[in-house]
Protein backbone atom coordinates (compact mmCIF):
# COMPACT_ATOMS: atom_id res chain seq x y z
CA UNK A 1 0.00 0.00 0.00
CA UNK A 2 0.98 3.62 -0.38
CA UNK A 3 3.09 5.06 2.42
CA UNK A 4 4.39 8.57 2.94
CA UNK A 5 6.77 8.84 5.89
CA UNK A 6 8.02 12.28 6.87
CA UNK A 7 10.99 12.90 9.15
CA UNK A 8 13.51 15.52 10.17
CA UNK A 9 11.41 18.00 12.11
CA UNK A 10 12.27 19.44 15.47
CA UNK A 11 12.69 22.54 17.59
CA UNK A 12 14.92 25.24 16.13
CA UNK A 13 15.66 28.86 16.95
CA UNK A 14 14.65 31.63 14.57
CA UNK A 15 17.20 31.87 11.79
CA UNK A 16 18.09 28.22 12.05
CA UNK A 17 17.84 25.41 9.51
CA UNK A 18 16.21 22.00 9.20
CA UNK A 19 16.13 19.39 6.48
CA UNK A 20 12.96 17.36 6.10
CA UNK A 21 12.76 14.08 4.26
CA UNK A 22 9.83 12.09 2.90
CA UNK A 23 10.11 8.43 1.99
CA UNK A 24 7.46 7.31 -0.47
CA UNK A 25 6.48 3.76 -1.34
CA UNK A 26 3.69 1.80 -2.96
CA UNK A 27 3.26 3.88 -6.10
CA UNK A 28 5.25 4.86 -9.18
CA UNK A 29 7.02 7.80 -7.58
CA UNK A 30 8.88 8.94 -10.68
CA UNK A 31 5.77 9.93 -12.64
CA UNK A 32 4.24 12.13 -9.95
CA UNK A 33 4.88 15.71 -9.00
CA UNK A 34 5.57 15.89 -5.28
CA UNK A 35 5.09 18.67 -2.79
CA UNK A 36 5.57 19.69 0.80
CA UNK A 37 2.52 20.95 2.63
CA UNK A 38 2.19 22.37 6.11
CA UNK A 39 -0.59 22.92 8.60
CA UNK A 40 -0.30 25.31 11.49
CA UNK A 41 -2.67 25.07 14.48
CA UNK A 42 -6.10 26.37 13.59
CA UNK A 43 -5.21 26.89 9.96
CA UNK A 44 -5.82 25.05 6.71
CA UNK A 45 -3.13 22.90 5.17
CA UNK A 46 -1.17 24.79 2.54
CA UNK A 47 1.28 23.83 -0.17
CA UNK A 48 4.67 25.46 0.37
CA UNK A 49 6.92 23.81 -2.23
CA UNK A 50 6.49 21.51 -5.19
CA UNK A 51 8.69 19.62 -7.61
CA UNK A 52 7.45 18.20 -10.87
CA UNK A 53 8.40 14.75 -12.10
CA UNK A 54 10.93 16.50 -14.33
CA UNK A 55 12.52 18.42 -11.48
CA UNK A 56 11.01 21.88 -11.94
CA UNK A 57 10.30 23.60 -8.64
CA UNK A 58 7.94 26.25 -7.35
CA UNK A 59 7.43 27.84 -3.95
CA UNK A 60 4.86 29.75 -1.97
CA UNK A 61 5.80 33.40 -1.63
CA UNK A 62 6.14 32.99 2.13
CA UNK A 63 9.07 30.56 1.77
CA UNK A 64 10.63 31.62 -1.52
CA UNK A 65 14.37 32.13 -1.19
CA UNK A 66 14.50 30.25 2.11
CA UNK A 67 13.25 26.74 1.31
CA UNK A 68 14.56 24.34 -1.33
CA UNK A 69 12.75 21.21 -2.46
CA UNK A 70 14.56 18.34 -4.11
CA UNK A 71 13.80 14.77 -5.07
CA UNK A 72 15.81 11.59 -5.47
CA UNK A 73 13.97 9.30 -7.87
CA UNK A 74 16.41 6.46 -7.22
CA UNK A 75 15.48 6.47 -3.53
CA UNK A 76 11.84 7.57 -3.85
CA UNK A 77 12.44 10.48 -1.52
CA UNK A 78 11.60 14.16 -1.57
CA UNK A 79 13.43 16.58 0.70
CA UNK A 80 12.89 20.10 1.95
CA UNK A 81 15.85 22.19 3.04
CA UNK A 82 14.57 25.01 5.23
CA UNK A 83 16.86 27.93 6.03
CA UNK A 84 16.33 31.23 7.84
CA UNK A 85 13.40 29.75 9.69
CA UNK A 86 10.83 32.06 11.23
CA UNK A 87 8.31 31.49 14.03
CA UNK A 88 5.54 31.58 11.43
CA UNK A 89 7.05 28.47 9.82
CA UNK A 90 5.91 26.50 12.86
CA UNK A 91 3.61 23.75 11.62
CA UNK A 92 3.28 20.06 10.92
CA UNK A 93 4.86 19.35 7.55
CA UNK A 94 3.60 16.69 5.17
CA UNK A 95 4.50 15.43 1.72
CA UNK A 96 2.06 14.30 -0.96
CA UNK A 97 1.52 14.50 -4.68
CA UNK A 98 0.86 17.69 -6.62
CA UNK A 99 -1.12 19.35 -8.09
CA UNK A 100 -3.59 17.34 -6.04
CA UNK A 101 -2.78 15.40 -2.88
CA UNK A 102 -4.14 12.02 -3.95
CA UNK A 103 -2.78 9.76 -1.22
CA UNK A 104 -3.75 9.50 2.43
CA UNK A 105 -1.68 11.83 4.56
CA UNK A 106 1.23 10.50 6.55
CA UNK A 107 1.84 11.35 10.18
CA UNK A 108 3.77 14.48 9.27
CA UNK A 109 6.76 15.94 11.07
CA UNK A 110 6.50 18.79 13.56
CA UNK A 111 8.61 21.88 12.99
CA UNK A 112 8.70 24.39 15.83
CA UNK A 113 10.60 27.66 15.45
CA UNK A 114 10.99 29.37 18.77
CA UNK A 115 13.60 31.03 20.94
Amino acid sequence: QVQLVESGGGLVQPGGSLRLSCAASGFKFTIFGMGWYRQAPGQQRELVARCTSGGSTDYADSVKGRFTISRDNAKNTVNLQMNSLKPEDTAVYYCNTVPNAIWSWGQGTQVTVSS
Side-chain angles (χ1 to χ4, degrees):
Q1 75 277 21
V2 171
Q3 281 195 308
L4 299 168
V5 181
E6 300 92 351
S7 61
L11 173 64
V12 63
Q13 292 187 343
S17 298
L18 283 174
R19 182 175 176 84
L20 307 184
S21 184
C22 168
S25 61
F27 64 101
K28 195 166 177 63
F29 179 82
T30 55
I31 69 171
F32 285 91
M34 294 296 297
W36 280 95
Y37 301 75
R38 70 184 180 189
Q39 187 168 24
Q43 298 193 19
Q44 288 193 333
R45 192 171 291 160
E46 62 171 343
L47 177 66
V48 297
R50 59 183 174 182
C51 183
T52 68
S53 58
S56 297
T57 59
D58 193 21
Y59 301 91
D61 287 344
S62 58
V63 307
K64 199 169 292 185
R66 300 187 298 120
F67 290 11
T68 302
I69 188 172
S70 61
R71 64 189 295 160
D72 185 335
N73 287 337
K75 297 181 179 180
N76 284 9
T77 58
V78 56
N79 303 304
L80 187 68
Q81 178 66 43
M82 306 187 296
N83 299 327
S84 302
L85 283 160
K86 304 176 181 181
E88 51 263 43
D89 295 318
T90 295
V92 180
Y93 285 71
Y94 304 86
C95 67
N96 213 314
T97 54
V98 294
N100 300 304
I102 66 171
W103 305 122
S104 296
W105 297 98
Q107 84 287 352
T109 187
Q110 175 71 49
V111 171
T112 302
V113 185
S114 174
S115 54

